[in-house]
């Protein structure tokens, strides 16, 4: 079985510099925004959007290219009942792509693996 891997790391400071309504609307889907806006802490919001951004970048690296431009809001990083992230994508919904996101004090890192 072949596996394809993508990984990305995002610095929180970069997100803080780019943070705007336009950026949020470009990166987060409507369902992701619901969770984002429920967070009261600015630090939690920064970590959340950094993790989603890293995961979506890692997702693109799994495929290397698409038939047409990838829109980040069409790739959702949601959470299951125990909080683990999973991907819902309009691009290749039949593919099984696993995602893991981790945070440190200043960074979010994500890895995607497609089987």
């Amino acid at each position: 079985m072949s596996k394809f891997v993508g990984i990305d790391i995002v610095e929180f400071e970069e997100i803080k510099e780019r943070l705007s309504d336009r950026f949020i609307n470009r990166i987060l889907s409507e369902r992701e925004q619901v969770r984002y806006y429920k967070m009261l802490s600015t630090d939690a919001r920064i970590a959340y959007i950094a993790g989603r951004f890293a995961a979506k970048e890692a997702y693109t690296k799994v495929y290397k290219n698409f038939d047409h431009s990838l829109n980040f809001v069409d790739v959702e990083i949601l959470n299951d009942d125990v909080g683990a992230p999973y991907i819902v994508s309009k691009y290749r919904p039949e593919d099984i792509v696993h995602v893991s996101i981790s945070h440190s004090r200043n960074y979010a890192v994500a890895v995607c693996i497609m089987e």
Side-chain angles (χ1 to χ4, degrees):
M1 177 183 292
S2 295
K3 292 189 179 187
F4 302 91
V5 177
I7 188 168
D8 196 68
I9 186 168
V10 174
E11 189 174 3
F12 292 166
E13 202 57 42
E14 176 187 350
I15 297 299
K16 287 178 188 176
E17 292 170 6
R18 298 172 76 179
L19 195 60
S20 67
D21 288 341
R22 183 172 182 252
F23 181 73
I24 292 165
N25 291 328
R26 214 180 77 216
I27 303 303
L28 300 179
S29 71
E30 288 181 18
R31 290 194 289 183
E32 290 169 320
Q33 285 186 37
V34 167
R35 184 165 181 200
Y36 175 83
Y37 285 114
K38 284 182 180 178
M39 296 176 179
L40 301 178
S41 162
T42 301
D43 290 342
R45 285 183 173 186
I46 295 296
Y48 178 81
I49 198 167
R52 269 40 190 181
F53 188 70
K56 293 175 186 197
E57 285 287 337
Y59 177 82
T60 65
K61 292 174 182 177
V62 164
Y63 291 101
K64 311 229 182 334
N65 65 35
F66 290 90
D67 298 335
H68 55 281
S69 297
L70 179 79
N71 186 342
F72 272 4
V73 297
D74 292 332
V75 178
E76 294 181 296
I77 313 300
L78 304 175
N79 295 85
D80 66 15
D81 293 341
V82 295
Y86 66 94
I87 295 175
V88 175
S89 175
K90 293 181 181 178
Y91 288 92
R92 299 203 180 136
E94 69 282 357
D95 290 351
I96 298 171
V97 180
H98 305 280
V99 62
S100 182
I101 303 171
S102 188
H103 301 86
S104 71
R105 184 179 310 192
N106 299 307
Y107 298 93
V109 63
V111 62
C112 288
I113 300 173
M114 180 179 71
E115 296 184 28

